[in-house]
């Protein structure tokens, strides 16, 4: 089985609690990520009740967004969602970049956005800039690079994005990452 | 010309290092060719028929002498002594070694050049009118906006994995020399009634297997909104462009399938959410970028008028070259020189290292250190004093660079075709060469007048055959090459897609067929002033079909 690890800017996450489930009739224990369509189909109680009351040993529910999905569908529910996972079934399908950008910039989503699927080292710096903050990684090269502390990327940018960055030198559109 | 500041220099250096690391990983086998492909493509590295090909960006076609010398140096050291200027105003090298490409990019970076996004499913090199800044019919120089777009699109995190490639062209003149209606986004710089600058915005033009003329989606976009509006277009395209079929993935198909009105509404709705954000262009920034493109201080050279008249009288060939290859400059003491890269019987767009060095020297001495690459695969010296034209001509003539054929029948656009390209079905270069030889006589070319022949070796249409007055498309049938003729295409203000006239011709018959088309035109034009395209638009395809294939059979 391929090893899958979750990475954030702080490093690899020990014991990441999230699991993606395909079928939602009977949700398993723990924090689960369900596809957008299934999430919308959940009852309000299921969506709202879980994980919100302190002391109750309940789980949190996250949403999985596929390239074909429209995140606006869950605009009203975003306040209660702890994690949005965006799927990259193929690294060459860039729709997830726009989904993340729109979740951050237009829908005001402040929770965790995670890239899942075909997540490669050369895409991670771009993903971070549009608003992703965790990455579910299975590529051996990518894991190796991240373990070595080499996430890659360029510190200078020619366009503002969802991720905060200092103003770059010169013109209004430039940015500089720390 | 735009000059890199520290930020640009550091950015390009970082990008070269990032690419070097990607090549290292490929060479060591750490990543697969599949994973490497989009990475190398975004740095202009193709895998072609015989070797890797490197496509170097010449943003909006503007070069300095220093940059041209570096291109010559790369041709000499890393290639076989020549480079090929393309319809994207780029230059490409056909024989570099993959392991040399990081070093080549490093050498390019030293002279403020790069190969970023010259390929791949991202926003490509932005093109512009090759006479920008000097053309007498210009409203404003389009290059500052092209430069802003170049910067904004460089390693854009949201738009690096689009459904397909994405091309933007900008023009600022009455007459469109940038073929904006054949681009994914075409921007026509203009002034509104209040005298403010802005753009007419076209989207969804393109060639390839489904050629389409772009649609006007906004009459006037204020210049400050350039990036917010472009972002809205790209975002809608990224989300809704087709990804199931690479041949249907360009924005032109999205425009066609969604409908111009509906897609425009989606773009405008997205723009409404974006326009208040960080992408508004401050006047001060537009002004700062524009100042780089200010026309240089051109000394008064009014003595040139009399000198030029005398030289023209003395040398008929020089006079013909001036007539054909020199265009009016904003400053009446100066001219804009087109250097033909189409010598009779030559390979369109090719230049040797020696020629590139010579052109760099001439530009330094006589053209304010500036050179342009045209989308018609020629070069331009934008600021030559009339008094210096003869000296420039003499130097160019000594290097086979003074063919007086700008806009004439031998000024042919041709893709590299089967001689180099992995996609091609047929050769293009030998066809161009044979037509050039057939029509090589200066008198005959002048008699025929303005006529644009464009040749592609496959349906992808890199040779722009769809918009050639006469287009030639090489196809492969049962293992043999066959050439289809299209007529009536045009890439100017009245952009049109040419019509296929009938069955294709064998390689040995295509030149005769072109001659038949030309002779038919000469026989039916109302006067020598009526150009081929005007005549074609008047009479339609039938007289040409009849001449090529005989009288149509009577309807039963």
């Amino acid at each position: 089985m391929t090893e899958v690890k979750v990475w954030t800017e702080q490093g690899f996450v020990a014991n990441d609690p999230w699991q993606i489930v395909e079928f939602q009739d009977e949700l398993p224990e723990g924090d689960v990520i369900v596809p957008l369509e299934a999430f919308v189909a959940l009852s309000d109680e299921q969506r709202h009740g879980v994980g919100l009351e302190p002391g109750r040993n309940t789980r949190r529910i996250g949403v999985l967004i596929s390239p074909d999905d429209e995140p606006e569908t869950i605009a009203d529910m975003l306040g209660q969602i702890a994690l949005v996972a965006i799927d990259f079934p193929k690294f060459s399908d860039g729709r997830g970049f726009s989904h993340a950008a729109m979740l951050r910039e237009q829908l005001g989503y402040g929770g965790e956005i995670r890239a899942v699927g075909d997540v490669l080292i050369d895409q991670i710096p771009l993903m971070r800039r549009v608003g992703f903050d965790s990455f579910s990684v299975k590529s051996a090269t990518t894991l190796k690079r991240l373990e070595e502390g080499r996430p890659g990327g360029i510190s200078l940018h020619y366009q503002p994005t969802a991720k905060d960055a200092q103003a770059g030198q010169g013109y209004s559109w430039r940015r500089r990452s720390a | 010309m735009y000059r890199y500041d520290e930020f640009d220099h550091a950015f390009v250096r970082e990008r070269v290092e990032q690419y070097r690391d990607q090549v290292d990983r490929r060479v060591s086998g750490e990543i697969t060719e599949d994973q490497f492909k989009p990475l190398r493509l975004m740095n202009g590295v193709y895998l072609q028929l015989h070797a890797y090909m490197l496509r170097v960006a010449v943003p909006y076609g503007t070069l300095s002498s220093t940059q041209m010398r570096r291109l010559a140096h790369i041709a000499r050291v890393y290639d076989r002594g020549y480079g090929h200027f393309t319809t994207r105003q780029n230059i490409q090298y056909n024989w570099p070694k993959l392991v040399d490409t990081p070093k080549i990019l490093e050498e390019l970076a030293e002279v403020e050049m790069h190969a970023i996004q010259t390929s791949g499913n991202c926003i490509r090199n932005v093109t512009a009118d090759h006479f920008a800044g000097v053309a007498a019919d210009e409203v404003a120089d389009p290059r500052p906006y092209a430069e802003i777009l170049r910067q904004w699109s460089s390693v854009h995190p949201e738009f690096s994995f689009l459904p397909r490639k994405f091309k933007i062209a900008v023009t600022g003149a009455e007459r469109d020399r940038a073929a904006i209606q054949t681009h994914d986004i075409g921007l026509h710089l203009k002034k509104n009634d209040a005298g403010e600058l802005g753009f007419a915005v076209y989207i969804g033009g393109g060639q390839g297997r489904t050629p389409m003329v772009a649609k006007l989606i906004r009459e006037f976009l204020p210049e400050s909104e350039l990036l917010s509006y472009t972002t809205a277009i790209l975002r809608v395209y990224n989300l809704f462009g087709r990804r199931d079929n690479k041949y249907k993935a360009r924005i032109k198909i999205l425009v066609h399938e969604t409908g111009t009105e509906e897609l425009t509404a989606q773009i405008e709705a997205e723009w409404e959410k974006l326009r208040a954000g960080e992408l508004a262009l401050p006047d001060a920034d537009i002004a700062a970028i524009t100042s780089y493109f200010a026309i240089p201080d051109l000394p008064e050279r009014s003595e040139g008028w009399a000198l030029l008249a005398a030289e023209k009288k003395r040398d008929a060939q020089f006079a013909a070259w001036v007539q054909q290859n020199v265009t009016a400059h904003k400053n009446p003491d100066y001219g804009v020189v087109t250097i033909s890269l189409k010598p009779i019987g030559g390979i369109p767009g090719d230049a040797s290292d020696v020629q590139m060095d010579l052109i760099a020297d001439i530009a330094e001495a006589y053209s304010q250190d500036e050179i342009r690459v045209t989308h018609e695969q020629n070069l331009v010296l934008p600021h030559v004093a009339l008094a210096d034209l003869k000296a420039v001509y003499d130097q160019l003539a000594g290097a086979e660079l003074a063919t007086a054929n700008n806009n004439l029948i031998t000024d042919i656009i041709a893709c590299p075709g089967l001689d180099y390209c992995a996609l091609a079905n047929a050769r293009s270069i030998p066809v161009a060469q044979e037509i050039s030889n057939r029509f090589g006589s200066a008198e005959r070319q002048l008699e025929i007048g303005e006529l644009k022949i464009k040749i592609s070796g496959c349906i992808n249409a890199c040779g722009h055959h769809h918009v050639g007055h006469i287009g030639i498309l090489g196809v492969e049938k049962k293992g043999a090459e066959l050439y289809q003729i299209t007529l009536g295409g045009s890439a100017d203000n009245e952009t049109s897609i040419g019509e296929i006239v009938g069955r294709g011709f064998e390689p040995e018959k295509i030149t005769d067929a072109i001659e038949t088309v030309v002779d038919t035109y000469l026989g039916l034009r109302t006067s020598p002033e009526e150009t081929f395209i005007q005549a074609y638009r008047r009479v339609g395809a039938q007289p040409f079909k009849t001449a090529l294939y005989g009288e149509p059979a009577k309807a039963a």
Side-chain angles (χ1 to χ4, degrees):
Chain A
M1 210 182 120
T2 330
E3 181 192 31
V4 181
K5 284 184 173 181
V6 174
W7 183 84
T8 72
E9 285 182 34
Q10 282 73 48
F12 285 100
V13 177
N15 305 318
D16 179 75
W18 293 98
Q19 54 176 320
I20 296 175
V21 296
E22 292 299 323
F23 191 66
Q24 80 292 353
D25 268 2
E26 206 159 308
L27 295 170
E29 293 298 307
D31 295 342
V32 294
I33 300 167
V34 300
L36 181 135
E37 204 181 328
F39 181 81
V40 172
L42 292 176
S43 69
D44 275 358
E45 196 191 7
Q46 281 172 301
R47 264 200 309 269
H48 289 248
V50 284
L52 294 179
E53 289 172 41
R56 264 184 67 184
N57 186 20
T58 53
R59 58 159 158 263
R60 296 174 293 172
I61 297 193
V63 180
L64 178 70
I65 291 180
S66 297
D68 279 330
D69 290 337
E70 296 192 13
E72 294 88 338
T73 321
I74 50 166
D76 297 341
M77 309 167 195
L78 285 170
Q80 291 123 31
I81 300 174
L83 179 139
V84 173
I86 295 181
D87 189 21
F88 289 82
K90 285 191 298 194
F91 72 85
S92 55
D93 186 335
R95 284 178 284 181
F97 290 92
S98 285
H99 287 148
M102 292 167 83
L103 278 167
R104 289 285 189 233
E105 295 167 18
Q106 290 173 5
L107 303 175
Y109 182 64
E112 181 176 343
I113 300 184
R114 175 175 296 186
V116 303
D118 203 0
V119 178
L120 301 176
I121 191 71
D122 296 285
Q123 278 81 38
I124 287 178
L126 305 173
M127 290 171 169
R128 289 165 73 185
R129 293 199 64 222
V130 296
F132 286 92
D133 33 31
S134 69
F135 306 86
S136 178
V137 180
K138 52 179 183 268
S139 142
T141 295
T142 306
L143 286 169
K144 178 164 160 265
R145 291 271 161 150
L146 294 173
E147 274 156 12
E148 291 166 358
R150 300 162 65 201
I154 291 174
S155 58
L156 305 174
H157 318 293
Y158 285 106
Q159 53 296 107
T161 56
K163 186 177 168 69
D164 280 343
Q166 297 170 40
Q169 161 216 35
Y171 306 105
S172 64
W173 53 87
R174 292 180 175 181
R175 295 291 181 274
R176 181 187 294 271
S177 297
Chain B
M1 277 183 62
Y2 184 71
R3 303 292 310 176
Y4 279 14
D5 58 19
E6 258 174 70
F7 186 97
D8 298 306
H9 275 294
F11 173 85
V12 174
R13 272 199 305 271
E14 278 198 77
R15 186 76 184 104
V16 171
E17 287 317 307
Q18 194 179 38
Y19 173 71
R20 190 190 305 277
D21 170 59
Q22 291 163 349
V23 172
D24 286 349
R25 272 184 278 154
R26 177 70 197 115
V27 171
S28 71
E30 209 179 307
I31 52 175
T32 64
E33 175 56 25
D34 250 16
Q35 292 166 338
F36 180 56
K37 188 175 170 187
L39 304 176
R40 66 167 159 77
L41 287 179
M42 268 181 259
N43 264 299
V45 180
Y46 277 78
L47 186 53
Q48 281 296 11
L49 208 52
H50 309 290
Y52 281 98
M53 180 193 97
L54 176 67
R55 182 182 291 155
V56 177
V58 181
Y60 36 89
T62 297
L63 278 170
S64 69
S65 294
T66 306
Q67 291 172 328
M68 184 62 101
R69 283 195 195 97
R70 187 57 57 94
L71 296 179
H73 163 83
I74 288 164
R76 196 157 45 235
V77 175
Y78 299 101
D79 207 281
R80 297 185 180 177
Y82 65 95
H84 178 75
F85 289 96
T86 80
T87 55
R88 294 293 304 157
Q89 300 181 309
N90 292 320
I91 183 171
Q92 54 200 38
Y93 296 101
N94 285 307
W95 306 100
K97 293 191 187 70
L98 180 62
V99 291
D100 284 339
T101 53
K103 177 76 177 126
I104 296 173
L105 292 175
E106 191 183 310
E107 294 207 28
L108 287 169
E110 288 167 6
V111 296
E112 308 184 3
M113 295 187 81
H114 60 72
I116 296 167
Q117 292 171 202
T118 54
S119 180
N121 292 337
C122 50
I123 303 168
R124 301 288 188 88
N125 183 38
V126 178
T127 54
D129 181 356
H130 47 261
F131 290 164
V134 295
D137 66 340
E138 190 168 81
V139 175
D141 192 331
R143 291 173 302 165
Y145 305 94
E147 172 60 25
I148 290 169
L149 287 167
R150 180 192 75 83
Q151 294 197 20
W152 162 83
S153 63
S154 290
V155 193
H156 195 299
E158 189 180 338
F159 305 130
S160 288
F161 296 89
L162 295 169
R164 273 294 262 145
K165 58 188 168 183
F166 201 92
K167 299 175 179 178
I168 304 176
V170 201
T171 191
E174 289 297 323
R175 182 170 165 204
D176 176 14
R177 282 172 292 261
I180 62 166
Q181 293 177 53
T182 65
H183 286 75
D184 295 293
I185 295 180
L187 298 168
H188 200 147
L189 194 54
K190 59 198 258 190
K191 281 192 173 146
N192 66 6
D193 293 340
E196 297 153 340
L197 278 171
F199 305 91
V201 181
Y202 294 79
I203 64 167
Q207 301 192 56
R209 65 189 67 208
T210 319
M212 287 187 187
V213 177
K215 311 287 188 293
L216 179 67
I217 61 162
R218 189 164 246 278
E219 290 275 359
F220 189 82
L221 178 76
E223 55 177 347
S224 61
E225 307 283 354
L226 177 65
L227 296 185
S228 58
Y229 202 81
T230 309
T231 300
I233 296 171
L234 262 302
R235 188 170 279 172
V236 168
Y237 169 59
N238 189 36
L239 287 170
F240 303 111
R242 285 180 62 171
R243 290 174 187 266
D244 58 322
N245 179 341
K246 72 179 267 201
Y247 302 118
K248 296 188 182 212
R250 298 286 293 271
I251 195 174
K252 63 189 173 188
I253 303 292
L254 183 65
V255 174
H256 180 71
E257 291 184 351
T258 311
T260 309
E261 212 172 302
E262 167 61 22
L263 193 69
T264 305
Q266 290 175 17
I267 290 166
E268 296 268 333
E270 185 58 35
W271 180 48
E272 284 303 324
K273 295 182 221 160
L274 278 163
R275 59 189 295 195
E278 297 173 282
L279 287 168
L281 287 174
D283 289 343
D285 286 353
I286 298 174
I289 298 281
T290 302
S291 68
Y292 283 107
F293 295 94
I295 201 162
D297 277 331
L298 298 171
E300 195 198 308
R301 299 291 303 275
S302 51
E303 81 280 13
W305 291 65
L307 277 172
L308 177 61
E311 291 291 356
K312 280 183 3 189
K313 214 174 271 181
R314 216 179 350 257
D315 182 341
Q317 278 192 311
F318 171 64
W321 178 79
V322 171
Q323 172 68 28
Q324 209 57 45
N325 288 30
V326 180
T327 315
H329 190 287
K330 278 177 181 169
N331 182 325
D333 291 350
Y334 288 77
V336 183
V337 169
T338 298
I339 299 173
S340 173
L341 293 182
K342 322 283 179 63
I344 302 307
I347 297 175
D350 272 13
S352 71
D353 60 328
V354 175
Q355 287 177 319
M356 286 189 254
D357 275 335
L358 175 73
I359 291 164
D361 292 345
I362 295 173
E364 190 171 70
Y366 299 106
S367 180
Q368 306 288 328
D369 219 19
E370 202 177 319
I371 302 152
R372 308 283 176 79
V373 183
T374 82
H375 83 271
E376 296 182 317
Q377 299 183 287
N378 290 314
L379 299 175
V380 165
L381 300 171
H383 313 284
V384 180
L386 301 183
D388 296 330
L389 279 175
K390 185 64 166 70
V392 167
Y393 169 79
D394 288 341
Q395 291 193 42
L396 291 173
E400 286 201 308
L401 290 167
T403 312
N405 63 349
N406 186 33
N407 288 326
L408 297 179
I409 188 170
T410 62
D411 187 6
I412 298 168
I413 291 181
C415 74
L418 200 50
D419 292 293
Y420 294 100
C421 180
L423 300 171
N425 302 109
R427 289 166 298 168
S428 303
I429 291 169
V431 175
Q433 289 174 307
E434 197 181 317
I435 293 170
S436 175
N437 281 322
R438 177 77 63 94
F439 292 96
S441 132
E443 296 73 28
R444 192 166 180 207
Q445 294 198 59
L446 282 176
E447 189 204 351
I448 297 165
E450 182 178 318
L451 177 51
K452 292 178 189 289
I453 294 186
K454 306 188 181 191
I455 307 172
S456 301
C458 81
I459 194 73
N460 293 304
C462 294
H464 295 185
H465 67 277
H466 293 297
V467 292
H469 299 160
I470 300 176
I472 300 174
L473 168 65
V475 296
E476 186 250 298
K477 269 214 171 119
K478 295 176 188 159
E481 292 162 313
L482 216 56
Y483 294 90
Q484 285 179 351
I485 294 176
T486 59
L487 296 177
S490 157
D492 54 17
N493 297 52
E494 295 158 73
T495 295
S496 54
I497 305 294
E499 185 189 341
I500 299 174
V501 292
R503 64 176 188 273
F505 294 88
E506 288 85 22
E508 61 278 9
K509 295 199 176 135
I510 180 67
T511 305
D512 288 342
I514 298 303
E515 194 160 22
T516 301
V517 170
V518 171
D519 288 343
T520 304
Y521 152 68
L522 291 175
L524 61 73
R525 69 182 176 188
T526 53
S527 76
E529 278 68 50
E530 190 184 42
T531 62
F532 179 90
I533 187 71
Q534 288 165 344
Y536 179 85
R537 283 176 176 163
R538 178 171 57 80
V539 303
Q542 197 52 57
F544 299 96
K545 289 183 180 174
T546 305
L548 287 168
Y549 304 107
E551 288 293 337
K554 292 265 185 296

